[in-house]
Amino acid sequence: MPIRNVKTLGDPQLFKPTVAVTEYGSAVADDIQDMVDTMRDNKGVGLAANQIGIDKRIIIIEVNNNPRYPKQADIPLMVLINPEYHVIGDEKETFWEGCLSLPGLRGEVTRAVNISYQANDHLGNSFSTQANGFLARVIQHECDHLDGILLHQRLNDLKKFSYEKNL
Ligand code: ZN
């Protein structure tokens, strides 16, 4: 399966909300494989389908000794289709977040520490569970992508937006 180009800031598709998935299995298998190959090739920890031009509500997440986030514990590959989350409590955390669609940039974004979320797997089976910390952050970031929102739209302070090399 091909590694695809990641769409970057300025591409209108990144601002367009994605469409719910209704067919599973072979209907999404190639999309998911392309997403995994592209995320790994770009050293991402998450990817939303519209970042590679697929207009579907699919996100993937994986942390495996990632050089862009060296302090983060590993997270096995997760595929979330039609994901939804709810914030638990009011604890929030700020972090210099990156995005494959904003290459070389980081922005300090405040997000909820604890969430519950539900999604379907690649076969359409629904599941629900909770997440906290970095995983909760990545889920919130990727769900934003599905709604056409990029991290710079979440900045509290425009001065906290920087090239990685200057941090
Ligand atoms: Zn992103």
Side-chain angles (χ1 to χ4, degrees), residues 108-123:
E108 200 179 69
V109 178
T110 301
R111 296 197 191 267
V113 174
N114 299 295
I115 63 168
S116 62
Y117 66 97
Q118 61 183 66
N120 294 335
D121 69 13
H122 67 290
L123 297 175

Side-chain angles (χ1 to χ4, degrees), residues 86-112:
H86 299 283
V87 171
I88 301 174
D90 50 17
E91 193 182 350
K92 294 184 186 302
E93 201 168 59
T94 58
F95 180 82
W96 283 97
E97 224 171 78
C99 179
L100 295 181
S101 293
L102 281 71
L105 290 162
R106 293 283 173 119
E108 200 179 69
V109 178
T110 301
R111 296 197 191 267

Side-chain angles (χ1 to χ4, degrees), residues 48-69:
N50 49 335
Q51 288 183 277
I52 60 169
I54 298 168
D55 188 18
K56 295 179 183 176
R57 296 188 77 81
I58 305 173
I59 66 175
I60 61 168
I61 295 168
E62 181 182 53
V63 181
N64 182 8
N65 197 21
N66 190 288
R68 292 174 65 243
Y69 299 97

Side-chain angles (χ1 to χ4, degrees), residues 32-46:
I32 292 168
Q33 191 61 55
D34 286 2
M35 289 174 67
V36 171
D37 292 344
T38 303
M39 177 181 70
R40 289 176 176 165
D41 186 62
N42 286 277
K43 308 271 187 269
V45 294

